[in-house]
Amino acid sequence: MPQLLESHEHSGTAPKRVRSGVVTPFVNECFEGEMLFFVRDPSLPVAPKQRYWELQVQGRFRKRVENFYMGMELTEPLKVSFFLRGLAATFTAFVKSVEPDIHYSLGVSKADAEERPHLVTPYFKGVDAIVETVDGSGEPPALGSDLLSGPRIPKSERPTSVRLDATYTFSVFSTFLDFFAWKIKGIPALGSVDLAGYFRDAALAIVVYCVPTPDDARSSKRKSDKAHLQSEKNYFLRLQVDPPHIRPARSHSRQSTPDPRDAEAPSASEPP
């Protein structure tokens, strides 16, 4: 039986289970829609530039939102060594070569302020594909299709605000982050990096959230420098993937009475 990668969406009032290859509805105060999370079967070989995973999201904003970011974060602060700082600097330089407008932190944990380790970009700048379908202009693309092969908004023209009369479909994927192996693979100057030694018990989450916009008249920090404090975030997507040693093991009793949705395991739902 192929492995399953189970994750959970945490932006609503209660965590929602998400299975690879299964369309999952979700709703919170800012957004209502569906997500489809593909994860490649670890028993299959991965060719260069093939996707280890892809998350597709489709839905509508329920209210106007400003100053929102998309990317990844860890659930716990990192204990930073000099080596890890160097590793993070190398990785960030690689990402900035692709997307220069990023916001990142290795995390801060204080009694009055917590900032989780994160790497995010403003608005839709960091997604791999984005389609804005205004009401009356046609049907949005189907979840599960290859969004890169159809009409999409070029990076230079991506929206910096949202419409309430449109359906948004976007995709993020990775050709170097292997969730099953819990490793980063194939980045120049890094090779293969085992995340377990650095993240420990921290889970990794794909996130979209708002933070307050700084008042330039009163703030000494630029918008891009302001800390993303946990107490100030308003999530409208947080898909959390736990490290391998924390993921629940499949029990013998569950194998004897399998859930029919287990047929939708990664081997049956390859990324496009």
Side-chain angles (χ1 to χ4, degrees):
M1 182 177 291
Q3 287 180 277
L4 288 174
L5 183 67
E6 294 181 356
S7 51
H8 292 84
E9 207 288 316
H10 289 260
S11 67
T13 56
K16 180 180 282 288
R17 188 184 196 184
V18 178
R19 287 173 176 261
S20 174
V22 179
V23 174
T24 304
F26 70 105
V27 61
N28 49 64
E29 66 173 290
C30 296
F31 193 85
E32 181 173 5
E34 298 178 323
M35 70 176 71
L36 186 57
F37 189 35
F38 299 96
V39 184
R40 187 172 295 278
D41 186 338
S43 67
L44 299 177
V46 178
K49 296 187 177 181
Q50 280 192 310
R51 304 168 198 176
Y52 283 105
W53 56 269
E54 179 175 359
L55 174 65
Q56 295 184 357
V57 177
Q58 184 174 85
R60 301 173 70 94
F61 287 90
R62 305 180 71 191
K63 65 179 185 179
R64 298 195 181 278
V65 293
E66 297 181 352
N67 202 34
F68 71 85
Y69 289 79
M70 299 187 183
M72 289 191 167
E73 72 176 21
L74 292 175
T75 57
E76 299 178 10
L78 292 172
K79 293 183 178 180
V80 181
S81 66
F82 285 112
F83 175 75
L84 184 56
R85 284 186 183 274
L87 187 67
T90 302
F91 177 72
T92 304
F94 171 77
V95 175
K96 277 198 168 187
S97 68
V98 179
E99 177 51 67
D101 200 14
I102 64 171
H103 189 286
Y104 77 98
S105 171
L106 295 178
V108 176
S109 182
K110 298 180 180 179
D112 59 343
E114 177 192 357
E115 183 179 30
R116 289 182 175 178
H118 65 270
L119 184 70
V120 295
T121 55
Y123 297 96
F124 298 102
K125 288 187 176 182
V127 301
D128 293 290
I130 169 71
V131 180
E132 182 185 66
T133 308
V134 178
D135 293 348
S137 64
E139 294 296 319
L143 289 180
S145 60
D146 188 356
L147 299 181
L148 290 179
S149 64
R152 62 187 191 278
I153 303 174
K155 278 200 170 186
S156 60
E157 301 174 14
R158 290 182 176 177
T160 55
S161 61
V162 300
R163 302 178 58 147
L164 302 184
D165 62 345
T167 297
Y168 290 87
T169 309
F170 61 89
S171 166
V172 291
F173 61 79
S174 179
T175 59
F176 60 86
L177 175 58
D178 184 342
F179 278 130
F180 271 114
W182 211 236
K183 292 181 179 180
I184 294 174
K185 300 178 178 179
I187 293 182
L190 288 182
S192 179
V193 178
D194 189 345
L195 300 178
Y198 304 105
F199 292 177
R200 301 182 185 275
D201 292 339
L204 187 61
I206 303 169
V207 296
V208 186
Y209 59 77
C210 299
V211 290
T213 302
D215 185 341
D216 292 338
R218 292 180 296 173
S219 176
S220 61
K221 290 190 174 184
R222 295 179 301 142
K223 178 179 174 180
S224 59
D225 294 334
K226 186 180 185 300
H228 289 187
L229 299 180
Q230 198 61 22
S231 60
E232 297 180 340
K233 289 180 183 176
N234 184 11
Y235 290 95
F236 47 102
L237 173 68
R238 187 162 79 87
L239 181 65
Q240 180 173 310
V241 180
D242 291 329
H245 67 280
I246 292 179
R247 295 172 196 164
R250 183 189 298 275
S251 67
H252 293 294
S253 59
R254 185 175 169 189
Q255 287 184 6
S256 62
T257 56
D259 187 321
R261 292 176 298 174
D262 287 356
E264 309 260 6
S267 60
S269 57
E270 295 299 315

